[in-house]
Amino acid sequence: MRKILVLVFIFTGSFLVHAAIPAENICYDPMIRTIQVHKEADALSMPLIHLGSEERLAFSFDDLGPDLKRYKFTIQQCNFDWTLNEHMDPADFIAGWREENIDRFEYSYNTTVKYIHFSAVFPTENMSPKVSGNYLLIVYEEEPYRIVFTRRFLVAETTPLTLSGRVVQSSLPGVQQMSQQVDFLVNLNGFQINDVTREIRTVVQQNGRTDNEIIVLKPRFSRPGELDYRYDENITFAGGNQFRNFDIKSLLYQSEYIRKILFDTMTQVYLLNDLPRTYKQYTFDQDLNGRFFIKNEEHAENSAIEADYALVHFFLPYPAAIPNGDFYILGDLTQMQLNDVSKMKYNLSRRGYETDLLLKQGYYNYLYVFREKGRVRGDETLIEGSHWETENDYSIRIYYTETGSLYSRLIGAYTLNSATR
């Protein structure tokens, strides 16, 4: 995995010490579960707020450890490509305090797996971002060097820019039936840019994935007041397939795709064997494009603390292990990361790939993705197939790094859905 480093500023008196960590969605403590970061009051939204607005991010997590701990958080500004912004001190991008306490916590209630649920919002009265751009939320226990998890989020500016576009069948020879091309036009509406080629970078992302996102160095055409990204074959993605799903909002009955539910030391959920969809005809099935939501529908009043945990078992039949790569479970249930947590192992006796994940009650989406060793991008087409008709969300972010500026401004953030023709 490509490691992108940021500096975490550790305050010891009046001195700054720094430590290098990747600017990625990573959980460093196995006792921390169900990390969620989204716009307040919208659990399925992307983690984005607008600079100077009343919008806030809500973030939460569960600590499965036996003792109550004291958690704090800070933020770090990054460049458009999530590399360290080495030119800015915290005072340049943070207004107010450099860290905040996470004081809101509740103990789980009527659950077999005990946990403490922590939650917070950002910005706060004491701490807010000064500038737009990419940010890393850093949550740590007591001292900044004891990091428990990091999550990316975005702060966009409110600008006159507008975007119109659509997702179409790819024009690339040989992949038209399996790929989608993202065509869009940005109207600047009076926003002044001196050098489009050097100062504008555009990032296109599919369903929140980071492994296959595309960084566009320049528009196909630029005219006075317009940036034209239409008919650019380089902005092409595999369409993939609708996400698989399973429902564990109730652990009392077997919903669709669940083979059995058992209880020993904790609840064990065994999913039906997942079969390849490589050559199956595309059929639309409503999904959450990789997201999940937490819910206990067994008479719970507050699912945040009344939803239980279960060990969910995944199995993908496959005739033999592939030596040059690995299979992963991709979705927000694995923080959209291809890493050791989401990696599956081959079981020779069962002739298939398997893994298990400890998950909180709710509704989940996921895909099986194969990644060759040494590569960053995963390939969902091997197991899931790929269709140009697939419904996907595409986020488009426009970054402006003005000549002489210390940071990349996020001047536009938009979403296109491939089902909108």
Side-chain angles (χ1 to χ4, degrees):
M1 178 182 294
R2 178 172 57 100
K3 294 298 183 183
I4 306 172
L5 301 183
V6 303
L7 297 185
V8 177
F9 293 94
I10 302 173
F11 294 85
T12 55
S14 59
F15 300 96
L16 287 174
V17 184
H18 64 267
I21 61 171
E24 298 170 1
N25 295 342
I26 298 178
C27 183
Y28 296 92
D29 185 341
M31 303 306 289
I32 300 299
R33 300 282 174 164
T34 317
I35 301 167
Q36 294 181 283
V37 183
H38 51 78
K39 191 171 292 186
E40 193 175 27
D42 187 357
L44 296 179
S45 63
M46 67 185 301
L48 181 149
I49 56 175
H50 285 82
L51 188 67
S53 71
E54 296 298 317
E55 297 172 345
R56 297 194 301 180
L57 290 176
F59 64 95
S60 62
F61 59 95
D62 294 337
D63 184 351
L64 276 57
D67 302 316
L68 177 63
K69 301 182 182 71
R70 187 183 181 192
Y71 292 107
K72 301 179 181 181
F73 72 90
T74 188
I75 61 173
Q76 171 65 47
Q77 218 266 354
C78 299
N79 297 313
F80 75 93
D81 59 355
W82 295 100
T83 55
L84 168 67
N85 186 337
E86 298 177 335
H87 306 294
M88 299 180 75
D89 293 326
D92 295 325
F93 56 83
I94 299 177
W97 297 355
R98 303 297 186 265
E99 63 179 3
E100 270 279 25
N101 295 321
I102 302 177
D103 293 326
R104 191 186 307 166
F105 63 90
E106 298 176 276
Y107 289 87
S108 61
Y109 177 70
N110 278 343
T111 59
T112 58
V113 176
K114 304 301 180 183
Y115 58 88
I116 304 174
H117 180 73
F118 289 85
S119 59
V121 295
F122 176 80
T124 69
E125 292 182 357
N126 305 311
M127 181 183 182
S128 60
K130 279 186 177 180
V131 300
S132 67
N134 291 347
Y135 280 86
L136 192 70
L137 172 71
I138 305 165
V139 174
Y140 50 91
E141 182 191 346
E142 199 68 51
E143 300 295 338
Y145 63 86
R146 300 170 69 179
I147 298 171
V148 293
F149 71 84
T150 56
R151 287 299 295 261
R152 294 177 176 184
F153 71 95
L154 305 167
V155 178
E157 295 182 25
T158 301
T159 67
L161 272 67
T162 57
L163 180 144
S164 59
R166 58 178 185 156
V167 180
V168 299
Q169 188 173 8
S170 174
S171 58
L172 281 173
V175 297
Q176 291 96 335
Q177 296 302 315
M178 61 181 296
S179 298
Q180 296 175 340
Q181 184 173 296
V182 186
D183 289 351
F184 56 98
L185 179 71
V186 178
N187 194 314
L188 300 179
N189 293 315
F191 190 93
Q192 296 299 314
I193 297 172
N194 297 319
D195 189 336
V196 169
T197 302
R198 294 185 178 183
E199 297 178 335
I200 292 294
R201 294 292 182 266
T202 301
V203 177
V204 184
Q205 195 176 72
Q206 182 192 62
N207 298 327
R209 290 177 60 174
T210 58
D211 65 298
N212 67 346
E213 69 181 11
I214 295 174
I215 297 177
V216 187
L217 298 180
K218 61 180 180 179
R220 191 162 180 261
F221 298 107
S222 60
R223 295 177 287 272
E226 285 186 345
L227 306 177
D228 194 340
Y229 297 85
R230 294 174 298 182
Y231 316 113
D232 188 342
E233 294 178 345
N234 294 313
I235 314 178
T236 294
F237 294 80
N241 212 331
Q242 299 300 115
F243 278 79
R244 301 173 189 258
N245 69 81
F246 61 91
D247 184 343
I248 52 172
K249 297 193 296 294
S250 173
L251 297 174
L252 299 178
Y253 63 87
Q254 295 171 212
S255 59
E256 190 178 16
Y257 306 121
I258 292 179
R259 180 163 57 90
K260 63 181 177 179
I261 300 175
L262 302 176
F263 183 84
D264 42 41
T265 56
M266 68 170 62
T267 303
Q268 310 277 339
V269 175
Y270 294 84
L271 302 181
L272 292 173
N273 292 351
D274 279 316
L275 300 177
R277 301 184 289 175
T278 315
Y279 303 108
K280 287 188 175 182
Q281 184 176 353
Y282 172 75
T283 56
F284 175 78
D285 185 18
Q286 187 68 51
D287 64 11
L288 301 178
N289 286 331
R291 303 177 183 92
F292 68 84
F293 65 86
I294 300 302
K295 179 70 175 177
N296 175 357
E297 62 182 19
E298 299 160 3
H299 311 292
E301 295 182 2
N302 182 0
S303 292
I305 59 172
E306 294 182 70
D308 211 340
Y309 275 84
L311 196 62
V312 180
H313 300 265
F314 299 79
F315 185 73
L316 175 67
Y318 210 76
I322 302 178
N324 67 328
D326 297 287
F327 280 105
Y328 297 82
I329 294 177
L330 184 71
D332 278 358
L333 79 174
T334 55
Q335 301 183 80
M336 282 292 181
Q337 297 292 302
L338 306 181
N339 56 21
D340 289 342
V341 174
S342 59
K343 185 189 296 186
M344 307 183 76
K345 294 182 179 180
Y346 192 78
N347 186 319
L348 185 60
S349 62
R350 296 184 68 192
R351 297 181 69 84
Y353 286 88
E354 63 183 8
T355 193
D356 49 65
L357 297 173
L358 185 63
L359 299 172
K360 200 172 183 178
Q361 280 183 269
Y363 181 84
Y364 290 86
N365 276 191
Y366 67 103
L367 291 174
Y368 289 109
V369 172
F370 178 78
R371 185 176 68 182
E372 291 184 24
K373 295 186 185 301
R375 294 180 64 88
V376 172
R377 177 174 293 199
D379 176 14
E380 69 274 33
T381 66
L382 183 61
I383 293 297
E384 307 296 358
S386 189
H387 312 271
W388 80 267
E389 304 98 328
T390 303
E391 181 269 325
N392 292 304
D393 282 330
Y394 289 92
S395 64
I396 301 168
R397 306 195 296 271
I398 312 295
Y399 294 90
Y400 175 42
T401 311
E402 188 176 6
T403 302
S405 176
L406 298 178
Y407 68 100
S408 302
R409 298 166 56 186
L410 179 53
I411 60 172
Y414 315 92
T415 300
L416 295 177
N417 185 274
S418 61
T420 304
R421 305 298 183 193

